[in-house]
Amino acid sequence: MKDWKWFLERSKDFQNEPEHPLSNKEELFEYLENCNINSDSIILDVGCGRSDELRIFLSSKFNVNDYIGLDIVNYNDDFKIVRDVHDMGFFPINFDILIYNNVLEHSISPYLALLEANRVLKPEGIVIIGLPKGDGHDVSESHFIVLSDRQLKNLLNKTGFKLIDDKSVNTMHYYTARKMK
């Protein structure tokens, strides 16, 4: 079984890896167009990696100015902070929308990650989760878990979220859930 020290050591190598093979940003962009994002939205992109395409898309499409990228790996980008998804270090009730695209399968504990998401979201806040689907995504050395549709829906419920949408877009399956009061 992989442990946290292994992941931290391995994360140093992520800076030299190519973009995640299933990180099709166009699929995420297509899904986000129907998620009621507006210029007042404060968005946290959890596990943003080294790309700033999402920040640029949100800024140009929705005039979003309040975007923060968070990743465990330091890519030396000025719009990102380096933190852990299980303990982000933000004050509670900070964000309108959290985006986890190709992230939870890399988490040691998706349950703890979603509890942390609930903690930092504003009341009625939204979490958008993109999980790869199909063969192949379960064999990556950096994946700790493969979540089934039923498992993720159960985790969302147990961590204080209500599923409001789920949809497949090519190689990804997206879930949108609202923080319950």
Side-chain angles (χ1 to χ4, degrees), residues 11 37 41 58-59 65 73 81 89 106 118-119 129 142 150 152 155:
S11 71
I37 296 171
S41 298
L58 291 168
S59 176
N65 293 314
V73 178
I81 59 171
H106 298 275
N118 188 302
R119 186 186 73 79
I129 299 167
S142 64
R150 190 169 133 204
L152 181 61
L155 278 174

Side-chain angles (χ1 to χ4, degrees), residues 31-48:
Y31 186 78
L32 290 176
E33 288 185 8
N34 298 309
C35 288
N36 297 323
I37 296 171
N38 61 55
S39 61
D40 295 328
S41 298
I42 301 172
I43 298 175
L44 178 64
D45 182 9
V46 181
C48 61

Side-chain angles (χ1 to χ4, degrees), residues 74-127:
N74 183 1
Y75 295 108
N76 298 317
D77 295 313
D78 59 356
F79 63 92
K80 298 176 192 166
I81 59 171
V82 179
R83 298 272 169 78
D84 176 10
V85 300
H86 306 94
D87 182 13
M88 294 189 242
F90 295 111
F91 288 111
I93 315 171
N94 240 347
F95 299 97
D96 298 300
I97 299 170
L98 270 64
I99 300 171
Y100 290 78
N101 190 43
N102 276 313
V103 172
L104 288 182
E105 67 272 17
H106 298 275
S107 169
I108 286 178
S109 175
Y111 175 76
L112 293 177
L114 289 172
L115 282 176
E116 180 68 353
N118 188 302
R119 186 186 73 79
V120 301
L121 273 172
K122 293 179 179 177
E124 305 280 319
I126 298 287
V127 62

